[in-house]
Every structure is written in structure tokens, then in C-alpha cells.
């Protein structure tokens, strides 16, 4: 017992240990982005509710708003009081300086993203970042990205591009071999953000499941699926079976956050107590996270569990 509270989490499991265990169980680790304490509280509450591990993620923009070191300190504190493992990932890191900032702040993994560059330059820049962050702490997992999955976890009118630049198994093998990454994020029909029709529940994303299985075999590393929001439930299950280890959900959380915040503010225009306004927002986002976590662990999920963003 220390002055700051009870340390429930005596587990020494690293992110790598948990990924190996989940892979053996046929499950995937849920990755949920946070930009503020409301979202972080929701993700941690969902982990506690479902008793399932989580990977908290923050992109460069989210880290800038939160503060990379402040977020790392909060997650470290929450992890000490959690009965399930909580990890922290630096999502979509586009420079060596930002990768080093996250590594030095104590992030468990860094998503290195030079996927907008031509393949050869992507290899060179990713390799350099992998070596640099492993120099800070060899246990940090390095993720690399190839292919095009669009940008921005937002609501979109129409799809960007036409999924021409999907990752091939040969590219995946070459990229992993040359960069020594631990985790590969391929383009397999996934896309950042959601179309309006997906937010309304009228359309779903579909994944190239055969390609996932081929990439897994060729790459031989953990696979991350970015842009998971709005994906068909059955495709999630099959993608995990094909070799996906981590699934990113961001837009669904943002949609739930905005909708519930609007409702909470509209409920009583005289209410000025921030925690009374924000508490229902935490609950709404938590519901989305819990539902996704259960799905990624092969548990039954009721169709209405994620509300209008199902
Ligand atoms: Zn992403």
C-alpha cells in the first residue's frame, strides 16, 4: 500500500505477453483513442466492467491536446489500480522526434506511420524510428504501416480513394524483414473514419479476409487493424481468426461522445457542474467500448449495445 492508493495490479504482463496470450485464445486487443479525461475514464471503466485488457491510444493531435507525458502519467496511475492490464500506444506517429517523445514518456508501443511516403522511404524512416525507440526501452513494441487507409477518424460524406493501394503479402514480408517492426498495420479494406451511412447503421465496412490471412503468414508478426469503426461484426470475428491482433476504434467513440454531450447539455440549461454534465458522457462512451471489447473476445453482443453507431 502506498500513499496514492491500493495497487491492485501486481501483474508483470507486458503488452507482448498479453498479445501472445490473446492470440492463443483467438481474441484481439481493443485499441481505443482518447483526447481527454472523459474518454480515458470511459475506456478504463469498460476494461474494469468487462475484465478485459485494453490498449489506450493517442494520435499526435490527441497527445498534443492531452500532453504526452501527462497522459502517460495518468495511464500509469490507472494501471496500478486496475485489475486488468491497461497499455498505452502512440498512434500514428509521423516523425522521429514524436516517436522519441512517446518512448521517453513511457508509452508501451509506438505506431510509426510513414505510410504516405514511397515504400523505400517508408522502410528507411520506419527502421530508423524502430532502432531509436528500442534504444530507449527494448520492451517497447514498434508498429509500422504500409498501404493507404485514408486519414482522419471523422464522419465523411463519401469514401476517399477506392482501396487500390491494399497491402500485398510480399510487401508485408519485405517491410517487416527490413524494419524489424513487432506489429504491422496493413491496408486490407479498412478505412479511417466513418461514412454518414455507417453512423446511421445503414452500411458496414467489409475486410479482405483472405488477404489478412496471407499477410499474417508472410509477415509473421502481430497485425493491427486501423479504422475499425463501422466494420461488420462478422468481419471482425473472421479478421481475428485470420490473424488480426489489435483493433482500433476511434470514430465510434467520438460519435458517442458528441451525441451524449449534446443530450447532456440540452437536458438542463441551468446545469453548470461539469462532472454532472460529463458523467453520462463517460457512461455512453463506456458502453461502446465494452460492446467492442466483448465482440473482440468472442462474447455475445446484443445488436443495440452500441446504439446508433452499431
Ligand atoms: Zn489509425
Amino acid at each position: 500500500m502506498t500513499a496514492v492508493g491500493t495497487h491492485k495490479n501486481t501483474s508483470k504482463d507486458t503488452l507482448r505477453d498479453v498479445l501472445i496470450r490473446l492470440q492463443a485464445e483467438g481474441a484481439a486487443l481493443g485499441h481505443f483513442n482518447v483526447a481527454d479525461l472523459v474518454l480515458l475514464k470511459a475506456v478504463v471503466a469498460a476494461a474494469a466492467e468487462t475484465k478485459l485488457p485494453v490498449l489506450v491510444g493517442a494520435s499526435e493531435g490527441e497527445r498534443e491536446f492531452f500532453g504526452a507525458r501527462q497522459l502517460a502519467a495518468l495511464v500509469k496511475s490507472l494501471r496500478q489500480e486496475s485489475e486488468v492490464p491497461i497499455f498505452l500506444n502512440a498512434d500514428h506517429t509521423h516523425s522521429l522526434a514524436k516517436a522519441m517523445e512517446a518512448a521517453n514518456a513511457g508509452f508501451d508501443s509506438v505506431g510509426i506511420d510513414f505510410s504516405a511516403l514511397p515504400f523505400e522511404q517508408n522502410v528507411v524512416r520506419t527502421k530508423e524510428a524502430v532502432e531509436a525507440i528500442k534504444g530507449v526501452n527494448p520492451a517497447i513494441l514498434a508498429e509500422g504501416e504500409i498501404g493507404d487507409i485514408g486519414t482522419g477518424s471523422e464522419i465523411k460524406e463519401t469514401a476517399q480513394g477506392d482501396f487500390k493501394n491494399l497491402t500485398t503479402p510480399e510487401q508485408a514480408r519485405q517491410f517487416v524483414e527490413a524494419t524489424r517492426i513487432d506489429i504491422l498495420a496493413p491496408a486490407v479494406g479498412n478505412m479511417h473514419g466513418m461514412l454518414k451511412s455507417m453512423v446511421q447503421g445503414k452500411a458496414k465496412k467489409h475486410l479482405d479476409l483472405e488477404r489478412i490471412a496471407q499477410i499474417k503468414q508472410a509477415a509473421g508478426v502481430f497485425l493491427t487493424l486501423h479504422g475499425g469503426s463501422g466494420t461488420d461484426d462478422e468481419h471482425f470475428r473472421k479478421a481475428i481468426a485470420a490473424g488480426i491482433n489489435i483493433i482500433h476504434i476511434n470514430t465510434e467513440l467520438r460519435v458517442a461522445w458528441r451525441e451524449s454531450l449534446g443530450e447532456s447539455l440540452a437536458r438542463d440549461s441551468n446545469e453548470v457542474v461539469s462532472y454532472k454534465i460529463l458523467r453520462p458522457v463517460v457512461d455512453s462512451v463506456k458502453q461502446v467500448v465494452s460492446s467492442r471489447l466483448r465482440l473482440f473476445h468472442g462474447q455475445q453482443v446484443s445488436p443495440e449495445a452500441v446504439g446508433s453507431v452499431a
Side-chain angles (χ1 to χ4, degrees), residues 91-92 145 149 192 226-227 248:
D91 201 15
H92 293 293
E145 292 199 27
I149 48 177
H192 283 122
H226 280 259
H248 285 224

Side-chain angles (χ1 to χ4, degrees), residues 192-211:
H192 283 122
M194 289 172 84
L195 302 179
K196 275 196 168 160
S197 54
M198 292 170 179
V199 176
Q200 292 157 354
K202 291 178 191 158
K204 299 280 182 194
K205 290 178 196 169
H206 294 97
L207 305 168
D208 189 336
L209 300 163
E210 202 176 322
R211 188 180 293 269

Side-chain angles (χ1 to χ4, degrees), residues 5 20 31 40 49 51 70 74 83 86 95 115 117 140 146 148 158 160 164 175 192 203 217 245 276 296 310:
I20 290 169
H31 174 289
L40 179 58
E49 181 179 77
K51 297 193 173 14
Q70 287 69 32
L74 269 172
E83 288 178 20
I86 299 168
S95 71
S115 61
L117 296 176
I140 296 178
I146 39 174
D148 180 17
T158 52
Q160 307 165 307
K164 260 190 198 154
F175 191 73
H192 283 122
Q217 200 177 12
N245 301 95
K276 289 185 182 170
F296 301 159

Side-chain angles (χ1 to χ4, degrees), residues 260-288:
S260 57
L261 181 60
E263 283 165 19
S264 197
L265 288 169
R267 207 166 289 134
D268 179 358
S269 59
N270 291 318
E271 183 59 81
V272 292
V273 181
S274 64
Y275 61 82
K276 289 185 182 170
I277 294 169
L278 294 173
R279 201 179 279 139
V281 184
V282 172
D283 284 343
S284 296
V285 176
K286 183 191 80 171
Q287 271 189 3
V288 176

Side-chain angles (χ1 to χ4, degrees), residues 92-127:
H92 293 293
T93 304
H94 301 291
S95 71
L96 181 61
K98 290 286 177 190
M100 288 300 282
E101 179 189 61
N104 284 315
F107 282 56
D108 298 285
S109 58
V110 177
I112 301 157
D113 183 3
F114 292 110
S115 61
L117 296 176
F119 186 82
E120 286 307 323
Q121 289 177 41
N122 185 2
V123 167
V124 171
R125 302 285 298 274
T126 301
K127 184 169 185 275

